[in-house]
Amino acid sequence: MFHPKRFCNMGTKILLLLCLIAWGHSNAHAAGFIVIANKSVAESTLTRAELQGIYLGEKVKWNNRKHIKIAVLEEERTLKDFLQTVLGKTPSQFDQHWVRMVTTGKASMPPAFTDSQQLIDFVARTPNAIGFVASGQTGDAVKTIAIK
């Protein structure tokens, strides 16, 4: 037999469980990648909007007027996490965006790396470069950029 009070208690428990799952997912999401930059980059923090602008080719210069050189990690899990969190795009949508940028002459394709260490090495030796890697893979050759 249907009992409204019993139904509400069960509904509350389900809602609480869903909140805990969502909270856990968002914390795991935040820890999935780290934004890194060459040590020549003066900025140590960026807003999500600034990072979005950089990876969409809209913000092309740092505050010191030096040209930003972006790098992309093609490792599937980190790429998906970064693109979804920062740009709200899938890897396919991101590729399409950059193909349009290149074909219209607005930008050249950013270098892409399949290996985190290759991307870290590129960022470390390229002044004004920025990239992203999975959490815990930075080392001392690059600086970490905090996202506000």
Side-chain angles (χ1 to χ4, degrees):
M1 181 167 201
F2 178 75
H3 294 279
K5 188 175 180 180
R6 191 177 186 188
F7 180 75
C8 286
N9 283 340
M10 184 184 299
T12 302
K13 289 177 183 174
I14 291 171
L15 182 60
L16 180 60
L17 179 62
L18 291 173
C19 288
L20 288 171
I21 291 170
W23 179 76
H25 180 70
S26 67
N27 278 347
H29 218 23
F33 64 86
I34 296 174
V35 176
I36 60 171
N38 182 277
K39 290 186 176 182
S40 67
V41 173
E43 286 82 350
S44 57
T45 61
L46 291 170
T47 65
R48 184 172 171 244
E50 288 172 319
L51 190 57
Q52 216 171 26
I54 290 169
Y55 271 89
L56 291 178
E58 298 164 353
K59 177 177 173 61
V60 295
K61 293 185 178 182
W62 295 111
N63 291 338
N64 64 3
R65 300 185 184 265
K66 300 288 183 180
H67 190 77
I68 299 171
K69 297 172 184 156
I70 68 170
V72 175
L73 179 64
E74 289 187 326
E75 187 271 316
E76 185 177 347
R77 184 175 176 184
T78 306
L79 177 64
K80 280 183 179 177
D81 193 22
F82 177 81
L83 294 177
Q84 184 62 46
T85 303
V86 175
L87 304 178
K89 293 187 179 290
T90 65
S92 174
Q93 291 170 324
F94 182 70
D95 287 345
Q96 290 170 2
H97 172 81
W98 275 97
V99 166
R100 275 193 306 273
M101 294 287 284
V102 170
T103 56
T104 57
K106 293 179 179 174
S108 56
M109 193 65 91
F113 301 88
T114 56
D115 180 76
S116 293
Q117 191 56 54
Q118 290 175 342
L119 184 136
I120 291 169
D121 292 344
F122 172 81
V123 170
R125 72 175 181 270
T126 308
N128 305 307
I130 186 170
F132 57 90
V133 294
S135 296
Q137 297 187 344
T138 57
D140 294 334
V142 292
K143 66 188 285 185
T144 301
I145 302 288
I147 308 302
K148 293 193 258 179

